[in-house]
């Protein structure tokens, strides 16, 4: 069996005034706890280095750019990489990425996978950007991901590392079945998905009480229908007046939740994840080669 001990390192709120250095100290504390509990890899949330800045409308590009990382690792994040290497533990981290590509600045909502030697082995840029592009003052808070980020240009990758096949996605991606299926078609055995999910959804507040249900509904269905482990990790709690969902969870390929956070603060939950258990699904009810009928699904990609 290929048993991997995995930690979901949920973060409580990050204040707008909190520095990267302060946040990285929190991440390192969770990483040390993960190591003490035997973890091979620890997963952090989406945009884990700062407060969830798309809740505010900014027009000045310099003000926007200060939320982004121009290098990874950079001076403030290097201690996290050094600690990972020293402890021999991998990690998944979400952050806002600013790169020069073709002479132009590009902004992405990004996640990386780092192996036990502290080397970046995979990068993912968020595909399904939620929210809106313009200032909408009627909302209690903004959700301007469509303004601040471009759609990810790397697709959904799969990486052979840590004795398995790993995948990544970010937050809103988890609501879309195509995300998991594209990962599943590449044989992914464990997907890491960080999120920042407000409890209040301004366009349809009738669904506010369903945030926790919808989160687990999609993560559990994605795990089961593709025979993969899923590690869903929240930034949680009341952040700058906005309530964010917690309930970070590690989900087995059967769709069962095997570990879940019970606070909305910095909290680590761990699970022993046997990657060979994916075969129970991938070789049987969801044996894609035997049972999938892609000819019948053309509408999905043709529209
Ligand atoms: N960060 C992120 O993608 N959040 C969305 C919020 C709901 S849509 C405004 C989510 O899917 O959880």
């Amino acid at each position: 069996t290929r048993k991997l001990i995995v930690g979901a390192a949920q973060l409580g709120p990050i204040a707008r005034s909190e520095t990267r250095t302060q946040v990285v100290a929190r991440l390192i504390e969770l990483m040390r706890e993960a190591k003490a509990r035997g973890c091979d890899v620890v997963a952090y949330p989406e945009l884990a280095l700062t407060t969830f800045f798309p809740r505010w409308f900014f027009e000045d590009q310099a003000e926007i750019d200060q939320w982004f990382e121009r290098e990874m690792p950079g001076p403030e994040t290097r201690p996290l990489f050094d600690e990972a290497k020293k402890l021999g533990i991998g990690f998944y981290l979400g952050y806002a990425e600013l790169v020069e590509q073709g002479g132009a600045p590009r902004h992405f909502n990004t996640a990386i996978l780092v192996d036990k030697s502290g080397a970046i082995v995979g990068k993912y840029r968020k595909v399904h950007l939620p929210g809106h592009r313009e200032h909408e003052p009627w909302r209690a808070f903004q959700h301007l991901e469509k303004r601040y980020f471009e759609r990810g240009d790397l697709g959904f990758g799969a990486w052979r590392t840590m004795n398995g096949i790993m995948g990544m996605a970010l937050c809103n991606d988890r609501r879309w079945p195509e995300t998991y299926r594209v990962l599943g078609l590449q044989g992914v055995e464990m997907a890491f998905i960080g999120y920042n999910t407000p409890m209040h959804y301004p366009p349809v507040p009738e669904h506010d009480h369903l945030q926790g249900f919808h989160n687990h509904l999609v993560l559990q269905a994605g795990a089961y229908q593709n025979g993969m482990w899923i590690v869903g990790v929240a930034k949680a709690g009341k952040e700058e007046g906005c309530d964010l969902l917690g309930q970070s969870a590690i989900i087995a390929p059967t769709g069962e939740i095997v570990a879940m956070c019970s606070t909305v603060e910095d909290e680590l939950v761990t699970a022993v994840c046997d990657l060979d258990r994916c075969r129970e699904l991938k070789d049987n009810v969801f044996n894609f080669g035997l049972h999938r009928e892609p000819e019948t699904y053309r509408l999905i990609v043709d529209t």
Side-chain angles (χ1 to χ4, degrees):
T1 58
R2 287 174 299 141
K3 286 186 176 157
L4 204 65
I5 306 184
V6 176
Q10 178 175 283
L11 288 179
I14 299 178
R16 185 168 173 175
S17 61
E18 218 164 318
T19 64
R20 261 67 152 197
T21 301
Q22 288 172 311
V23 176
V24 166
R26 287 166 63 180
L27 302 180
I28 288 175
E29 193 177 320
L30 287 159
M31 183 179 273
R32 288 183 180 148
E33 190 182 340
K35 185 64 192 180
R37 285 158 68 173
C39 288
D40 298 289
V41 59
V42 60
Y44 300 109
E46 175 194 42
L47 299 174
L49 297 172
T50 67
T51 198
F52 189 76
F53 64 89
R55 76 167 62 88
W56 293 290
F57 176 69
F58 303 110
E59 278 179 297
D60 175 19
Q61 195 58 47
E63 199 176 358
I64 296 168
D65 287 352
Q66 67 174 353
W67 298 107
F68 285 75
E69 311 306 312
R70 290 166 193 272
E71 43 177 351
M72 188 55 67
E76 298 116 320
T77 44
R78 187 169 297 283
L80 185 68
F81 286 72
D82 291 345
E83 191 70 17
K85 187 176 175 183
K86 188 177 107 193
L87 298 174
I89 186 170
F91 67 92
Y92 158 99
L93 175 77
Y95 65 98
E97 180 192 16
L98 174 51
V99 277
E100 293 277 333
Q101 257 174 228
R106 313 277 306 268
H107 298 76
F108 298 104
N109 188 342
T110 294
I112 46 169
L113 191 59
V114 176
D115 72 11
K116 291 182 176 187
S117 74
I120 296 176
V121 291
K123 179 181 279 189
Y124 169 72
R125 291 170 172 162
K126 187 173 181 178
V127 167
H128 299 98
L129 295 171
H132 49 108
R133 215 173 297 272
E134 301 304 329
H135 191 213
E136 296 186 5
W138 61 269
R139 292 172 182 259
F141 50 84
Q142 305 295 297
H143 198 112
L144 288 157
E145 287 194 58
K146 286 204 189 289
R147 182 179 187 85
Y148 299 141
F149 302 113
E150 282 179 62
R151 187 184 66 216
D153 60 349
L154 301 174
F156 293 99
W159 293 274
R160 281 188 159 69
T161 182
M162 292 181 269
N163 216 14
I165 307 177
M166 305 294 165
M168 293 186 269
L170 281 163
C171 198
N172 191 257
D173 289 321
R174 77 197 190 288
R175 302 185 193 274
W176 300 85
E178 294 85 354
T179 297
Y180 306 94
R181 183 49 48 97
V182 173
L183 294 175
L185 285 168
Q186 298 173 87
V188 164
E189 296 169 314
M190 178 171 283
F192 300 97
I193 311 181
Y195 58 93
N196 282 265
T197 296
M199 296 301 293
H200 172 53
Y201 181 56
V204 192
E206 300 89 323
H207 292 182
D208 287 0
H209 68 292
L210 299 173
Q211 291 300 341
F213 167 62
H214 287 157
N215 178 44
H216 288 159
L217 179 71
V218 292
L219 294 174
Q220 292 179 260
Y224 171 63
Q225 292 174 335
N226 296 280
M228 63 175 73
W229 290 89
I230 291 186
V231 186
V233 191
K235 170 118 73 52
K238 197 180 273 301
E239 188 178 85
E240 299 295 343
C242 178
D243 266 315
L244 297 173
L245 176 69
Q247 298 188 334
S248 302
I250 302 173
I251 295 153
T254 52
E256 294 163 285
I257 294 176
V258 297
M260 182 172 87
C261 286
S262 56
T263 72
V264 285
E265 296 162 13
D266 290 11
E267 179 182 350
L268 179 79
V269 290
T270 65
V272 179
C273 302
D274 184 351
L275 299 180
D276 286 334
R277 288 205 61 197
C278 298
R279 297 257 66 90
E280 294 167 22
L281 286 298
K282 290 186 195 289
D283 288 348
N284 295 295
V285 67
F286 295 116
N287 181 326
F288 290 165
L290 265 186
H291 307 304
R292 215 171 137 266
E293 300 292 356
E295 276 304 309
T296 318
Y297 315 147
R298 299 204 85 96
L299 202 59
I300 290 174
V301 284
D302 291 349
T303 52

